[in-house]
Amino acid sequence: MTRRFRSREWFDDPHRPDQVALYMEKYLGWRYSYEELRSGKPIIGIAQTGSDLSPCNRVHIQLADRVREGIREAGGIPLEFPVHPIQETGKRPTAALDRNLAYMGLVETLYGYPIDAVVLTTGCDKTTPACLMAAATVDIPAIVLSGGPSLDGYFEGDDLVGAGTIVWRMRRKLARGEITEEQFFRACAGSVPSMGHCNTMGTASTMNGLAEALGMSLTGCAAIPAPYADRSTMAYQTGLRIVGLAHEDVKPSDVLTRDAFLNAIATNSALGGSTNAQPHLQAIAAHVGVELKPSDWQLYGHDVPLLVNMQPAGKYLGEGFYRAGGVPSVMYELREAGLLRDTLTVTGKTMFANLDGREAENREVIFPFETPLSEKAGFVVMTGNLFDTAIMKTSVISPEFRARYLSTPGNEGVYEGRAIVFDGSEDYHDRINDPALNIDDSCILVIRGCGPVGWPGSAEVVNMQPPDALLRQGITSLPTIGDGRQSGTADSPSILNASPEAAIGGGLAWLRTDDIIRIDLNKGRCDALVDEATWEARKADGLPAIPASQTPWQELARQTVGQLAQGGCMDLAVKYQKISNTVPRHNH
């Protein structure tokens, strides 16, 4: 029996022929015929995130044509529409501010228009969670089409340079006086030789990989480089498949189960994935109604080994990762090790069936589970008097950092240091080289006022580099702590995403420069060694000042946003789930 799609409420309402006429008229004037719109075929939305403002996703402008061909071939009717732009490197004060804005706009589009199913075009960091959050809220059949990374970058010969990662590494060289500003810019330009999102295992590659791990894209979709012919083929296949999902009525709530999220957590560890995966997966889970706790990252992710030798935790870039087998080959290793759960996916098969025969092609890029790049590579989930929850990415702890800070004989994994506290990144950049701070290699850099309320939006600023004087001594990193985030392309083992943030009274608000902080990775503790009476007395000084809101959305975002530990969602939005079960009122 043929399904009656929700779009029929627009184009086939026998009680309101006047409304049907209004709904159809402008679509008739553009592309589609009266017969098509009333045929009962599924209307498939293409949520277009590519634009000149969003170059990481711009490949989707071309790919959309192939998606349309697949939809038409399978008997659907495509309708492409824009999504609010989110470009990580272009948006000020932070692209994270617009994740919830894009989410909210996409919810309204998917719910309020005659769309039966949707292709979610993703790429740059926040576009993936924003689209998945919206699809989860509305709960119509949906599938992710990743845009893919750029081609591998090179600079001055055969040295691989990865987008984002090269910025953090070259800025240290610039501070040491080893390169000129022109060389800095040229190296960064060399990391982006083509269209596509970052070619490192930053947040973009991570979140598109986790969309695949969740079961929301076709097998092998995430890692195909944007310019490859395979990417165009994947777009066509995605267009074909979304029509099948519409007829089968397979919805995000069917795919995005707790088991699927636990698969994604394990996969993130094996990938060496971004710390931004934590709030983004938490947000998707919250909007689909799945319980996911910060402690799940420790329980299901920490002991998983690092398998992918890709920058920033390794050597290679996106092309090498794709040719080695991409996400399916990583998940194959996890399946064979018994760390995955079999789940439903948008392919029409289970996850385990999708992974059959997907063993890696290149063991220099994707390591075997038995001989990984490193053991126990997941996040350490931390707590203490500075925050209730924060995380630390262990896969980017360098041998130098471990030897300097985490290898005291008989007390391994424990470090105490003097805090240097900065209120926002402007304060950090203004004072990091101030001799009066007396920063040495035993200090811990702390930044606050960078969370969802304080910034606003939560900024990628926690990966603070040491003062120039220490960099010239060969000290490339200090322990860093903050209530903001950091780029997934960064190689800093920061303690970050601290919740609650200082701006709403989290413990970082009461920390002072010269306090001693004790970090214990074995116990998952991070505490200021300050007596309780002094700690309480400081609260009389009030919260640290934060900048005023500069736009209406900034003010509204601050009033409605939750903390990073819970995903940084709009708190009021989480209660709206499976809203496609109802139909909007007529508009006339």
Side-chain angles (χ1 to χ4, degrees), residues 93-144:
T94 173
L97 185 66
D98 282 10
R99 186 201 68 178
N100 290 350
L101 183 58
Y103 153 78
M104 194 163 55
L106 185 52
V107 166
E108 291 300 315
T109 301
L110 296 179
Y111 181 68
Y113 285 87
I115 297 172
D116 299 308
V118 63
V119 175
L120 307 169
T121 66
T122 66
C124 192
D125 302 13
K126 279 78 180 171
T127 57
T128 307
C131 287
L132 282 170
M133 289 157 60
T137 295
V138 181
D139 205 35
I140 59 173
I143 192 170
V144 167

Side-chain angles (χ1 to χ4, degrees), residues 181-199:
E181 192 174 88
E182 178 64 21
Q183 288 174 307
F184 184 18
F185 293 151
R186 284 179 53 235
C188 295
S191 72
V192 189
S194 73
M195 68 174 71
H197 62 65
C198 289
N199 49 20

